[in-house]
Amino acid sequence: MNGVRLAVSWLTVLPVRGPERVDRGVAGTAITVAPLVGGLLGVGAAGLLWVLVWVGASSELAAILVVGALALITRGMHLDGLADTMDGLGSYGPPERARQIMKSGGAGPFGVAAIVFAVGVQAFSFAALAESAQWFAVGLAVMVGRVAVVLACRKGIAAAPDTSFGALVADTQPTVTAAAWSVLVLAAAVFATPDHRWLGPAAVLLALAVSTLLAHHCRRRFDGLTGDTLGATIELSVALTAATLSLSF
């Protein structure tokens, strides 16, 4: 239960107090159950989107409000991680310099552009899904982002030097855990697009593949896994899943 409490307190602003002592065992459990928290956030996002459309808001306005609500309930830390990661990748210095840029606290041009891109793609995609009443697809996209985190923390992946969060969660997820969550969301994705059953699994595969490539590149660029990289994988996976699910054929 410590891991569950930690996952909720880490990934949301819900009034759940995390454990007093956090070690790699507890942190690893928190990452393992992160997709469950993602599912909870997904249900909330889909529900809020439905309510806003039902009371008369345009799909575009409703979608923007939902993306904003997700940022608020997650403290904006995933967007912050995305911005820091892109600023680090955009630098030309060695890994040490890139990590310093990521820790600077400010957002550079690459980071700002990345946030605008991710928020824009998510909002327009959620709006398209709302117009076709694909509420399950909205929730699935949010959950896939947290499955990507499990894949990024799988065994054999080292943490970057001088990173506290990365050191806690890197190399904690057995391959079977990553595979189990991947299979689960792939199976659930079949129901995301009833008219094209293949589109849901294709969207999940694309998002997880691209986020895994991003995480791999970041590990090479920064000499290991960082917490910012996990935030970037979440935002990218949500955007890619939602965008692909919103395609019409």
Side-chain angles (χ1 to χ4, degrees):
M1 289 304 297
N2 281 341
V4 176
R5 289 164 50 203
L6 181 61
V8 176
S9 64
W10 262 355
L11 298 173
T12 74
V13 294
L14 296 177
V16 176
R17 186 175 182 179
E20 294 181 1
R21 181 175 177 272
V22 177
D23 55 22
R24 280 180 53 82
V26 176
T29 301
I31 295 298
T32 299
V33 301
L36 294 178
V37 180
L40 177 64
L41 293 171
V43 170
L48 177 60
L49 187 62
W50 179 84
V51 169
L52 291 170
V53 172
W54 181 71
V55 299
S58 67
S59 58
E60 293 81 6
L61 174 60
I64 291 173
L65 292 175
V66 167
V67 173
L70 283 171
L72 286 174
I73 201 170
T74 58
R75 302 185 186 89
M77 62 181 180
H78 306 321
L79 288 172
D80 180 67
L82 172 65
D84 289 342
T85 297
M86 294 305 144
D87 282 336
L89 291 176
S91 67
Y92 291 98
E96 296 81 4
R97 175 55 182 162
R99 293 195 302 270
Q100 289 177 356
I101 291 173
M102 294 165 67
K103 292 179 180 179
S104 65
F110 287 104
V112 173
I115 290 178
V116 172
F117 176 80
V119 169
V121 170
Q122 290 177 26
F124 280 109
S125 300
F126 285 171
L129 292 172
E131 289 175 357
S132 56
Q134 292 178 270
W135 315 112
F136 180 75
V138 174
L140 178 71
V142 177
M143 183 177 182
V144 168
R146 280 68 188 175
V147 174
V149 167
V150 178
L151 271 62
C153 297
R154 63 190 182 278
K155 290 290 186 179
I157 294 174
D162 304 321
T163 176
S164 55
F165 187 80
L168 280 174
V169 300
D171 192 32
T172 60
Q173 302 304 300
T175 301
V176 65
T177 301
W181 275 120
S182 299
V183 170
L184 181 62
V185 291
L186 282 169
V190 173
F191 304 98
T193 51
D195 295 335
H196 302 284
R197 297 288 185 182
W198 59 269
L199 182 58
V204 172
L205 281 174
L206 175 63
L208 293 182
V210 173
S211 65
T212 299
L213 288 174
L214 172 65
H216 176 70
H217 178 63
C218 289
R219 290 195 303 271
R220 293 181 59 187
R221 184 68 181 83
F222 307 139
D223 278 347
L225 183 71
T226 70
D228 287 329
T229 298
L230 297 181
T233 60
I234 287 177
E235 295 297 340
L236 177 65
S237 299
V238 173
L240 276 176
T241 305
T244 307
L245 290 173
S246 69
L247 298 176
S248 58
F249 292 89

